[in-house]
Amino acid sequence: MKRPLLILSACLCALAAAVSCSSGLRTADGESVPNRVMGVYLPYPETVAPAPGAPEGYETFYISHYGRHGSRYLLYDSQYAFVRDVLSRAAADGKLTPSGQKALADFLEAYPQFEGRAGMLTRIGAAQHRAIARRMAERHPSAFAPEAAVRASTSATARTQESMEAFCAALQTCRPSLRITCAEDAALNPYSAGSGIPTEYDLRVKSPEAEWRPDFEAFCRQQIDAERFAARIFTDTDYAAGLCDLTDLERGAFYLAVHFRGCGIAADWLRLFTLDELCTLAACDAYTFYMEKGPAAETSDRTWALSAHILAKMLTDAEQDIADGTAANLRFGHDGCIMALLTLMGADGWTATAATQEEIARAWDVSQIPMACNLQWIFYRPVSGEGEPLVRTLLNERPLRLPVTDPEGLCAWSDLKRHLAERCDTAFAVLNKDQTPNNL
């Protein structure tokens, strides 16, 4: 039996289950499943408490937004097919335990909903964006004056486009006279080859061939006790090991389990895992995001610096939009971009440099980037017309603390603009100087 080195991560998950929100589900050992285990696959909350409103004597007049697409199906059909084929073969050979048999029955019942929809937005994902749009309209009525202009743009994927369409349709319903224009902007994901922004090095960092991946893979295999998991599914683990790579199967079942809620699937596969196993799998998943988008010692600062292409545009857009009287600028993109933006902006919890594999695996709580995650800058102006604008920075509609804000995310626009412009200058200096790092 392996003794996981990620015991601190497991403890963090256990603590999260005790003191913060949980999914309401249970593990194989009867523990509550904390949201941290769900990672970036966590569905956006159905209700969100209002952030502090406009300071006394101020009113909202502009909103700058970057949102992740809503809940989606798994990215590849092969992820479903692999697990289905293994369980079906074992069932035919009479090698599934009662838990394994139920898991297969649940899967086969749900599979028609998955088939042919890899990477697509789910019904729940669209509903998440409609709800966020309604709250935006309700909480900031002064920003959306009659006939006000709203700009929306999306990265070049169907799920972000559909998220934008759901959001804008709901906003239009709340404020029918708004003049909303929509466009595609591939630069909203500067990590994609289609944007024309990343270098060959940048693309390699996040590819299966990245030089950091062999060490990552060895680390995860050291942590994951796949035989223990397999014993709950198969009557004969030696048979199972001859049928497939057990670690790959456990990971595959994990990714299905954490996606089910966002797909509207009632089946609960999280009960197939212990809390310790879920925490280990979630930590390994978070490890990849940190290496691809964070300030990892093993990679280059280019990982987070690429997001300056988004942030710099948000700053220039804000200046132009305010001058033009635009009410809101809505952008729809991806989870990794938001992680990198948080690092670039200096947000609490997103800037620490991790060196060892254990530190990397627990560096980020990526459940803070759920499906439909969003960054918002809420701009306030004095009702009197005298004085400079203020801005409140929000993550998922709740205050986001930055180095220049107060604990409730509030600061002068001039201070935020100066801080973020300096961060962009630093990032572009990294990108211009270090286009082909050799530290991988």
Side-chain angles (χ1 to χ4, degrees), residues 66-69 154-157 159-160 188-190 192 310 332-339 341 369 373:
Y66 185 102
R68 181 193 183 191
H69 58 77
T154 173
S155 70
T157 67
R159 60 184 174 274
T160 54
L188 288 173
N189 183 7
S192 70
I310 300 172
F332 296 85
H334 303 271
D335 52 0
C337 297
I338 296 178
M339 295 175 198
L341 282 167
I369 315 295
C373 170

Side-chain angles (χ1 to χ4, degrees), residues 98-399:
S99 292
Q101 292 169 15
K102 186 176 189 313
L104 176 59
D106 289 344
F107 180 87
L108 294 177
E109 181 180 354
Y111 184 69
Q113 183 172 332
F114 300 135
E115 193 170 14
R117 294 186 173 93
M120 295 174 60
L121 192 72
T122 68
R123 172 185 54 80
I124 291 173
Q128 291 161 354
H129 279 288
R130 288 193 291 268
I132 296 167
R134 285 193 291 268
R135 287 192 293 269
M136 181 181 285
E138 291 167 0
R139 294 172 181 178
H140 307 288
S142 58
F144 299 107
E147 306 294 330
V150 173
R151 291 201 289 155
S153 53
T154 173
S155 70
T157 67
R159 60 184 174 274
T160 54
Q161 179 177 343
E162 292 169 4
S163 295
M164 176 184 72
E165 291 169 352
F167 193 109
C168 291
L171 190 61
Q172 190 84 72
T173 299
C174 293
R175 299 289 184 271
S177 69
L178 289 177
R179 294 178 292 113
I180 303 176
T181 58
C182 298
E184 181 178 301
D185 182 1
L188 288 173
N189 183 7
Y191 297 87
S192 70
S195 70
I197 292 172
T199 65
E200 181 180 347
Y201 171 88
D202 300 325
L203 296 174
R204 193 170 78 246
V205 166
K206 57 181 293 220
S207 75
E209 292 74 38
E211 282 81 350
W212 59 267
R213 288 197 185 271
D215 287 343
F216 158 75
E217 185 66 21
F219 175 73
C220 290
R221 287 181 177 275
Q222 183 183 23
Q223 311 311 311
I224 297 171
D225 190 351
E227 187 171 350
R228 183 173 62 166
F229 168 77
R232 296 187 205 106
I233 307 298
F234 303 97
T235 58
D236 183 343
T237 56
D238 289 336
Y239 161 86
L243 192 60
C244 67
D245 182 304
L246 295 182
T247 300
D248 288 345
L249 179 66
E250 182 172 352
R251 285 160 135 176
F254 169 74
Y255 284 117
L256 280 167
V258 293
H259 276 82
F260 278 169
R261 283 180 60 202
C263 297
I265 302 300
D268 175 15
W269 272 23
L270 292 170
R271 61 180 167 74
L272 300 175
F273 304 86
T274 65
L275 178 60
D276 179 68
E277 289 166 346
L278 286 173
C279 289
T280 297
L281 290 160
C284 287
D285 189 56
Y287 186 126
T288 64
F289 288 109
Y290 185 83
M291 294 300 291
E292 292 177 3
K293 303 297 190 301
E298 287 187 49
T299 55
S300 161
D301 285 336
R302 293 184 62 85
T303 53
W304 55 265
L306 280 172
S307 67
H309 289 278
I310 300 172
L311 186 58
K313 184 72 160 49
M314 291 179 71
L315 290 172
T316 57
D317 281 351
E319 292 287 292
Q320 187 63 51
D321 289 341
I322 291 171
D324 294 345
T326 298
N329 197 320
L330 312 170
R331 306 165 187 86
F332 296 85
H334 303 271
D335 52 0
C337 297
I338 296 178
M339 295 175 198
L341 282 167
L342 292 172
T343 298
L344 175 60
M345 292 190 297
D348 283 354
W350 293 90
T351 59
T353 299
T356 70
Q357 290 182 307
E358 290 80 6
E359 290 172 350
I360 292 168
R362 63 176 183 262
W364 280 357
D365 176 7
V366 296
S367 68
Q368 295 179 46
I369 315 295
M371 298 292 184
C373 170
N374 53 91
L375 283 169
Q376 296 184 34
W377 301 346
I378 310 298
F379 286 70
Y380 308 113
R381 64 187 170 199
V383 175
S384 67
E386 299 180 359
E388 69 173 317
L390 304 178
V391 184
R392 192 182 307 280
T393 55
L394 305 178
L395 175 64
N396 301 328
E397 306 173 74
R398 300 297 304 156

